[in-house]
Amino acid sequence: MATKIRLQRHGKKGKPFYHVVVADARSPRDGKFIERLGSYNPNTNPATIILDFEKSLDWMNKGAQPTDTVRAILSYKGVLYKKHLQGGVKKGAFDEAKAEELFAAWTEGKDAQIEGKKSGLAKSKEDAKKAALAAEAKKKEEKAAAIAAKNAPVAEETATEEAEEAADAAENTEETEG
């Protein structure tokens, strides 16, 4: 029986959520499956992938063929690299300890890459929030200045009128004295 490792769609319209399953190649996409290996949620950034590493590796070693998307997921999680290293051990290219060392180094690098992406996304989100807050403050200042300008001419006119009246009064007193 030919088996495939593929995605089984769940979730509502526009918000897909997938289960990673092993199924007979002839069964329908959302139909009967042999075993569930994990889940994949592309709605989050970065995508959330929960995968049973050992089961996935076991099915790959048994000959199950992943679909293109699942192959990318398995590669991202390191299942394909682990299978590759096991093949090297079988051929005698290196020993088991060296394979584990290589895989541990790859895992550390991948974790650092994922953390870098998460921190970069958090930083860009924070920067966007600060920029929006600064733009809002600038708009508020402009609005306050416009309101002050609208109200200021009325105050200036009364001050100008008072100054003119004072000047007229001063002229009148000078004319009566002189």
Side-chain angles (χ1 to χ4, degrees), residues 14-34:
K15 298 286 186 181
F17 181 85
Y18 300 95
H19 290 202
V20 180
V21 297
V22 176
D24 182 10
R26 298 169 292 184
S27 66
R29 179 191 73 178
D30 298 335
K32 193 168 125 181
F33 61 92
I34 300 168

Side-chain angles (χ1 to χ4, degrees), residues 33-108:
F33 61 92
I34 300 168
E35 187 173 11
R36 181 173 176 226
L37 302 177
S39 63
Y40 167 61
N41 184 2
N43 298 319
T44 60
N45 192 4
T48 306
I49 301 171
I50 300 169
L51 191 67
D52 188 336
F53 189 87
E54 294 302 321
K55 284 182 184 178
S56 303
L57 184 62
D58 183 47
W59 277 103
M60 287 294 292
N61 286 334
K62 288 178 184 176
Q65 295 297 310
T67 59
D68 293 339
T69 307
V70 173
R71 181 178 302 279
I73 290 170
L74 294 176
S75 176
Y76 180 81
K77 285 300 205 176
V79 175
L80 296 180
Y81 186 57
K82 182 78 169 188
K83 183 176 186 252
H84 171 73
L85 291 174
Q86 286 179 348
V89 170
K90 285 179 187 174
K91 291 179 182 177
F94 44 83
D95 61 345
E96 187 77 33
K98 178 70 174 171
E100 290 300 322
E101 181 184 317
L102 289 171
F103 186 71
W106 180 86
T107 304
E108 288 174 13

Side-chain angles (χ1 to χ4, degrees), residues 82-149:
K82 182 78 169 188
K83 183 176 186 252
H84 171 73
L85 291 174
Q86 286 179 348
V89 170
K90 285 179 187 174
K91 291 179 182 177
F94 44 83
D95 61 345
E96 187 77 33
K98 178 70 174 171
E100 290 300 322
E101 181 184 317
L102 289 171
F103 186 71
W106 180 86
T107 304
E108 288 174 13
K110 188 68 170 180
D111 290 342
Q113 182 183 10
I114 292 168
E115 287 303 317
K117 182 175 182 180
K118 285 181 182 178
S119 65
L121 289 170
K123 188 177 185 318
S124 66
K125 187 175 182 181
E126 187 177 311
D127 290 345
K129 196 174 187 180
K130 284 182 182 178
L133 189 61
E136 185 178 332
K138 183 178 177 185
K139 194 172 186 180
K140 185 177 178 183
E141 289 174 6
E142 290 173 358
K143 198 172 190 180
I147 291 172

